[in-house]
Amino acid sequence: MFARSLAVCLTAGALAALLVPEALAVKVRVRVEGKDLTIFGPTAPLIDVTSPRANPLPESALDALESASVLGEFYYHLTTWPDVRVDQIGRIAEVGQTRWAYKVNGVAPAVGAAEYPLRPGDSVVWYWAQYGFAGGPKTLVLQRRGRCYTVLQQDDKGATSAAVGATLRVGSRRTVATRNGRVCVGPHRGLLVRGILAGAIRSNALP
């Protein structure tokens, strides 16, 4: 009788284990741009994002920040008033109209980061933004073909245009002007290249 009861319990336990969802994980690209420096992932690395919740919903843009903070060993803080949002990353806290924002695939979602579900391959960027009557700053995207680079700028809706007036920062010292956001550069082995434009969020880095 005891053996039969034990077998029933084991079977029920195995069935329950199948019904309880495991922690999900997605691979997404993550970058965190601070006020003056990149806090995490200048090259927007592909990382595993896992929800810390016991019964997780799909991983969110907030989970992406959490996973990046573990890998990059940086601090962030959430506030719950008047809504749940990130009000500090690293040593930079929100002040007035200057605050932390995020985009997924170049678009600023209309929901909080904890509510935005991620899909494999998404690109998430968190950035320090000054907001005004015209909204937030544009974010830069750097593309490469051979030794030629193109700097694009995206508004909050993801509309993309050439970053006219942008420059390239090659390594930490060399600066190269672009023509309508495009320029070809000479050999720069081992150096990362980034797009920079006054008033915009610096681009991802490429070799």
Side-chain angles (χ1 to χ4, degrees), residues 15-206:
L15 179 60
L18 291 175
L19 295 177
V20 175
E22 296 182 357
L24 302 175
V26 294
K27 287 184 176 292
V28 301
R29 296 191 176 278
V30 182
R31 184 163 53 96
V32 182
E33 294 293 345
K35 182 179 179 181
D36 299 307
L37 300 171
T38 301
I39 295 174
F40 177 84
T43 59
L46 194 65
I47 69 172
D48 287 315
V49 173
T50 303
S51 172
R53 294 179 290 275
N55 296 304
L57 297 171
E59 284 75 13
S60 68
L62 182 59
D63 292 330
L65 180 63
E66 165 66 20
S67 296
S69 75
V70 173
L71 291 174
E73 297 183 347
F74 63 85
Y75 169 84
Y76 75 93
H77 181 264
L78 288 175
T79 183
T80 58
W81 187 90
D83 51 15
V84 177
R85 68 184 187 282
V86 175
D87 65 347
Q88 181 173 346
I89 298 179
R91 299 180 64 88
I92 309 173
E94 66 176 29
V95 180
Q97 296 301 308
T98 308
R99 59 184 184 269
W100 287 97
Y102 79 99
K103 284 185 177 182
V104 179
N105 301 327
V107 178
V111 298
E115 302 174 43
Y116 191 93
L118 296 176
R119 297 181 179 181
D122 280 347
S123 181
V124 182
V125 57
W126 283 87
Y127 57 98
W128 177 245
Q130 174 72 51
Y131 284 82
F133 292 109
K138 294 182 178 180
T139 51
L140 300 183
V141 178
L142 185 63
Q143 299 178 345
R144 176 184 177 181
R145 185 173 183 178
R147 289 184 179 176
C148 296
Y149 294 84
T150 300
V151 187
L152 302 173
Q153 57 184 357
Q154 293 178 319
D155 64 16
D156 286 350
K157 295 182 179 180
T160 302
S161 59
V164 178
T167 60
L168 289 188
R169 178 66 57 81
V170 182
S172 60
R173 298 182 179 180
R174 183 182 173 194
T175 300
V176 181
T178 68
R179 183 175 182 180
N180 295 326
R182 188 175 185 276
V183 68
C184 299
V185 300
H188 53 279
R189 185 176 180 180
L191 298 178
L192 290 178
V193 178
R194 306 196 76 166
I196 300 173
L197 179 64
I201 305 302
R202 67 187 69 86
S203 79
N204 54 301
L206 294 174

